Amino acid sequence: MQWAERQRFNHGSSLMQGWGVLLLLISCVLWVWVGSLIWDTEDTLYCFRAYSRCEMDTTMPKQLTLLGISAPLSVVGTGLLVAGLVRRHTSAHVLRVIEMQQSEERARNK
């Protein structure tokens, strides 16, 4: 009974870790995409003679949107990864404590 419950708990922890890693990979891809947009940006200057005003055309809204999407993905991915690791380590620790207590009880009963 205890072994099956531990396996189920570890499976849930592994799923949390997997989702965390997936979200972190997605956010890394978005960061690379932002970097490539920044690297390849060829700013063009548009001048309007009627107004004597020049404007720079950049892709900043796209870059900011990608950064805005990647930031929460990074935070949630890190949270899930850490939570999954902590759950797994805590489960292993509790199991060791239970085994030590049972071992001490057996030693007292001899």
Side-chain angles (χ1 to χ4, degrees), residues 48-83:
F48 304 100
R49 288 189 181 176
Y51 300 112
S52 294
R53 189 179 81 205
C54 294
E55 293 179 1
M56 182 81 60
D57 182 32
T58 63
T59 58
M60 287 305 285
K62 187 174 186 178
Q63 295 165 355
L64 291 175
T65 302
L66 290 173
L67 284 176
I69 293 170
S70 69
L73 286 178
S74 299
V75 170
V76 172
T78 302
L80 284 173
L81 182 63
V82 169

Side-chain angles (χ1 to χ4, degrees), residues 16-21 24 76-86:
M16 287 176 70
Q17 288 175 320
W19 278 106
V21 167
L24 285 172
V76 172
T78 302
L80 284 173
L81 182 63
V82 169
L85 284 170
V86 168

Side-chain angles (χ1 to χ4, degrees), residues 1-18:
M1 177 72 174
Q2 188 180 35
W3 178 254
E5 188 64 28
R6 181 170 184 233
Q7 290 289 34
R8 190 179 65 77
F9 190 78
N10 282 343
H11 179 69
S13 298
S14 296
L15 283 176
M16 287 176 70
Q17 288 175 320

